[in-house]
Amino acid sequence: MLRATVGSVEERDEEQEDEGEEELRDGGVPFYVNRGGLPVDEETWERMWRHVARIHPTGEALGKEIRGATDLPKIPVPSVPTYQPTTTIPQRLEAIQKYIRELQYNHTGTQFFEIKKSRPLTALMDIAKEMTREALPIKCLEAVILGIYLTNNMPGVERFPLSFKSHFSGNHFHHIVLGVHSGGRFGALGMSRREDLMFKPLEFRTLMDLVQEFEGAYRGYWHTLRKVKIGQYVSHDPHSVEQIEWKHSILDVDKLTKEELRKELERHTRDMRLKIGKPAPPSPTKDRRNSMGSPLRGQGSPIRRISRVERRPSGEKKVLEQKSSTDMNGYQIRV
């Protein structure tokens, strides 16, 4: 009975991580998601300030000071990076990371852009465009969507989601970055409060080397890495109706030997390479794309779901299964 109870608790944690809640938690500290789009509605705006007052040591006084100020400095708006034809892939990725960093990490306790992982890629790219227009601070999952958008015009760069679950002081923490692969080397783009938990230059020979680099960074903060979840390569077609496959492989790092982990990551790398040769489903017509609209503006019509490959825990073969039609908001809580 104890084993069953523990298993059900872990399963429920996974479901909450995938589906999301109005009030999400990062190591016990709650934060909210703005579900009303932009500009932020009055109810969400006031809730954000109430939340700041609760979690900040001088939150109430700080809120009054900021909201009552008339001479706040103007915040510069970062420019989306542009490149010369001679700009190399590593240089382009560094420019994208610099842009993501300039947007700054969102410390308000309210995520400004709602990211639902079950949405088709074209809808998520609409959100990414909105991020570049609004230039608001972002969190790690938003940075992944933005990174996909900014690398869509780089056919020589393959992108895949790479998420982590770590444990520290009785709490679990979730974080996600965008893994990249080009020229036989791996790297990563992302956003974090920790400098060594986001960008990784394109210099890691294997996926194992990249994962070990992140694991070493976690150890530096006394975190124990528990799970690594890796998705498939993401389509470069910004109008694709595919859903991103976020969790093709789920690896229990603390239960695998180093050699077992290496073999699992090698297998996943082969799986990703095999996907490159598979044709993507057709993109919607121009009229269809226009009728879909921005996911942040109108929520009138439901978006058609497509079946996707069920995630594969470490050591098991993946199986095909029809996903539930329930809309999921799998915000990966950040470190």
Side-chain angles (χ1 to χ4, degrees):
M1 289 181 62
L2 179 60
R3 281 197 299 270
T5 302
V6 171
S8 63
V9 170
E10 289 180 351
E11 186 174 325
R12 185 165 63 250
D13 288 344
E14 293 291 338
E15 289 174 356
Q16 290 178 353
E17 175 194 338
D18 282 346
E19 297 174 3
E21 299 174 339
E22 181 63 22
E23 182 179 286
L24 301 175
R25 290 180 178 271
D26 178 3
V29 179
F31 69 90
Y32 292 97
V33 176
N34 168 34
R35 303 189 189 280
L38 297 171
V40 177
D41 59 52
E42 185 69 19
E43 180 181 352
T44 302
W45 181 251
E46 293 301 327
R47 183 186 66 182
M48 182 183 76
W49 285 106
R50 289 195 300 270
H51 184 61
V52 169
R54 287 198 303 270
I55 65 174
H56 195 277
T58 60
E60 191 167 342
L62 178 69
K64 289 180 180 179
E65 179 182 353
I66 294 175
R67 301 183 76 177
T70 57
D71 58 346
L72 292 174
K74 186 176 181 180
I75 304 299
V77 177
S79 298
V80 176
T82 57
Y83 323 101
Q84 298 296 325
T86 56
T87 306
T88 65
I89 293 297
Q91 290 171 335
R92 295 184 184 206
L93 293 177
E94 288 181 11
I96 290 172
Q97 182 62 48
K98 181 175 181 290
Y99 172 75
I100 291 174
R101 202 187 307 260
E102 287 174 347
L103 291 177
Q104 300 185 24
Y105 189 87
N106 181 357
H107 291 280
T108 66
T110 297
Q111 179 186 323
F112 293 124
F113 301 94
E114 183 183 13
I115 307 296
K116 291 189 176 182
K117 288 185 172 181
S118 58
R119 286 193 178 278
L121 186 60
T122 180
L124 295 176
M125 294 303 95
D126 284 343
I127 297 176
K129 292 177 187 176
E130 189 111 14
M131 290 184 207
T132 61
R133 288 195 298 267
E134 302 294 340
L136 292 169
I138 58 176
K139 295 188 178 184
C140 60
L141 183 58
E142 294 160 298
V144 167
I145 300 303
L146 186 57
I148 293 172
Y149 173 72
L150 295 174
T151 54
N152 273 338
N153 60 350
M154 301 181 194
V157 177
E158 299 298 340
R159 301 81 42 84
F160 58 95
L162 177 61
S163 59
F164 306 95
K165 179 180 181 180
S166 64
H167 181 265
F168 171 73
S169 188
N171 292 307
H172 285 100
F173 297 80
H174 300 272
H175 181 48
I176 186 168
V177 297
L178 181 66
V180 292
H181 180 256
S182 179
R185 292 290 185 270
F186 288 91
L189 299 169
M191 174 64 84
S192 172
R193 290 174 293 178
R194 305 295 188 181
E195 186 70 23
D196 48 0
L197 286 176
M198 43 183 178
F199 178 67
K200 300 296 177 184
L202 202 64
E203 60 183 30
F204 297 91
R205 190 176 58 85
T206 66
L207 189 53
M208 178 70 169
D209 293 338
L210 180 62
V211 169
Q212 284 186 313
E213 172 70 15
F214 277 103
E215 186 177 17
Y218 274 108
R219 284 199 304 269
Y221 301 111
W222 299 282
H223 279 235
T224 301
L225 188 59
R226 292 290 175 83
K227 285 187 179 181
V228 175
K229 302 175 186 180
I230 319 166
Q232 281 276 31
Y233 284 156
V234 179
S235 170
H236 283 267
D237 179 5
H239 306 299
S240 171
V241 294
E242 282 187 278
Q243 293 175 331
I244 295 174
E245 190 175 346
W246 298 91
K247 300 174 184 178
H248 183 77
S249 296
I250 304 174
L251 309 179
D252 291 310
V253 178
D254 55 348
K255 296 179 182 179
L256 296 172
T257 66
K258 187 175 181 179
E259 182 62 19
E260 288 172 336
L261 179 61
R262 183 186 63 80
K263 289 181 178 179
E264 288 293 331
L265 292 172
E266 286 178 352
R267 179 163 59 179
H268 183 87
T269 301
R270 290 194 297 270
D271 289 348
M272 290 195 296
R273 288 172 182 161
L274 288 173
K275 188 189 177 185
I276 296 179
K278 294 182 180 179
S283 299
T285 63
K286 182 178 180 182
D287 291 340
R288 168 63 177 155
R289 291 198 303 268
N290 290 339
S291 68
M292 290 175 71
S294 169
L296 291 178
R297 299 305 186 189
Q299 300 286 346
S301 301
I303 296 175
R304 182 174 64 86
R305 301 267 179 264
I306 59 175
S307 62
R308 56 179 177 174
V309 178
E310 176 63 17
R311 65 191 187 189
R312 173 174 56 81
S314 56
E316 296 182 8
K317 293 184 178 179
K318 57 184 179 180
V319 295
L320 292 174
E321 183 178 313
Q322 187 74 21
K323 281 289 184 181
S324 168
S325 60
T326 306
D327 210 0
M328 300 192 309
N329 175 19
Y331 183 82
Q332 294 282 349
I333 302 177
R334 81 283 184 274
V335 169

